[in-house]
């Protein structure tokens, strides 16, 4: 009898386990917090973050779920033989957003498309992680080419994008999905960037096809 597939979720920049609480109320999953992603600690290099993630994985088959900035860490860790599938929600970093003025404009556009009720939840998570760790994670991860990490990855990779997400525009999401040999793009109409919080049912539907 094959071992059950575990779902491991890694929060995005500055977020923690609260960002996937609604999702995990529908379908079980384990959350791994990393520096800059729920842990207010000095942020090492991206490959070191990926090694820490791999060290935290359970022994059986695993589907890795990344959100936003953590997608880059997940992509770097995904070549582990325990990983049988990858879900990337709003993956970064579109090279066009690396200038801060562009990032700020796209962030404002995306924030305006998010439901108002999640603002205090996000702010509490950012306050816990802290601006220093968040800025360090951005500096570490933003230059890393996620699409290069996905080349040759043999497992299914699903890129999930909200149709109103200016941080992960359609052409960038398609580029990331196309980089993986078994890549696929799923677009959620009306969603913005915080899909694990705002559209948990749709994310669980994607996971059910992978587990």
């Amino acid at each position: 009898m094959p071992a059950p597939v575990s779902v491991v979720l890694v929060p995005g920049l500055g977020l923690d386990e609260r960002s996937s609480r609604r999702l995990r109320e529908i379908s079980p999953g384990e959350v791994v917090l990393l520096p800059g992603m729920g842990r207010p600690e000095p942020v090492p290099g991206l490959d070191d973050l990926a090694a820490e993630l791999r060290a935290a994985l359970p022994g059986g088959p695993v589907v890795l779920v990344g959100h936003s900035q953590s997608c880059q860490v997940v992509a770097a860790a995904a070549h582990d033989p325990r990983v049988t599938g990858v879900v990337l929600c709003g993956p970064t970093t579109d090279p066009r957003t690396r200038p801060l003025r562009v990032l700020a404009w796209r962030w404002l556009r995306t924030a305006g498309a998010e439901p108002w009720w999640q603002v205090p939840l996000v702010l509490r998570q950012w306050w816990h992680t802290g601006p220093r760790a968040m800025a360090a994670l951005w500096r570490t991860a933003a230059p890393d080419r996620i699409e290069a990490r996905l080349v040759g990855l043999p497992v299914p990779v699903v890129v999930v994008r909200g149709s109103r997400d200016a941080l992960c525009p359609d052409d960038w999401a398609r580029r990331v999905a196309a980089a993986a040999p078994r890549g696929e793009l799923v677009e959620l109409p009306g969603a913005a960037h915080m899909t694990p919080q705002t559209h948990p049912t749709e994310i669980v539907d994607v996971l059910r096809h992978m587990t």
Side-chain angles (χ1 to χ4, degrees):
M1 187 174 183
V5 179
S6 301
V7 173
V8 173
L9 304 106
V10 187
L13 175 70
L15 303 177
D16 58 31
E17 68 278 358
R18 287 171 284 188
S19 66
S20 61
R21 177 185 56 80
R22 297 178 71 220
L23 188 156
R24 288 179 287 111
E25 287 174 350
I26 304 169
S27 181
E30 176 183 341
V31 179
V32 174
L33 303 181
L34 296 170
M37 294 161 274
R39 284 167 46 190
E41 302 170 11
V43 177
L46 192 132
D47 288 319
D48 290 330
L49 288 168
E52 185 170 345
L53 174 56
R54 286 193 296 268
L57 295 181
V62 176
V63 171
L64 276 177
V65 183
H67 174 224
S68 192
Q69 198 99 67
S70 75
C71 290
Q72 295 178 259
V73 180
V74 164
H79 288 270
D80 188 286
R82 291 167 290 181
V83 176
T84 60
V86 174
V87 177
L88 303 174
C89 302
T92 56
T93 299
D94 180 354
R96 295 167 295 188
T97 66
R98 287 175 189 150
L100 287 179
R101 67 184 185 281
V102 178
L103 175 65
W105 171 239
R106 290 200 186 183
W107 184 86
L108 286 171
R109 286 171 56 199
T110 303
E114 297 282 4
W116 67 268
W117 56 261
Q118 67 166 336
V119 172
L121 174 62
V122 170
L123 291 178
R124 285 195 294 269
Q125 294 175 76
W126 286 353
W127 177 264
H128 172 76
T129 301
R132 181 175 297 179
M134 291 171 62
L137 177 61
W138 168 259
R139 290 192 299 268
T140 294
D144 196 78
R145 294 183 57 216
I146 187 173
E147 66 273 36
R149 300 275 189 176
L150 296 173
V151 171
L153 185 64
V155 302
V157 176
V158 178
V159 174
V160 179
R161 175 189 178 265
S163 64
R164 304 178 70 189
D165 188 354
L167 292 170
C168 180
D170 178 74
D171 60 342
W172 166 248
R174 292 183 184 280
R175 178 176 164 186
V176 174
R182 300 173 65 185
E184 175 187 356
L185 175 63
V186 172
E187 188 164 84
L188 304 183
H193 192 63
M194 301 296 292
T195 51
Q197 286 188 169
T198 60
H199 290 70
T201 301
E202 290 85 342
I203 304 298
V204 167
D205 286 343
V206 171
L207 289 170
R208 283 175 179 153
H209 284 92
M210 304 187 77
T211 57

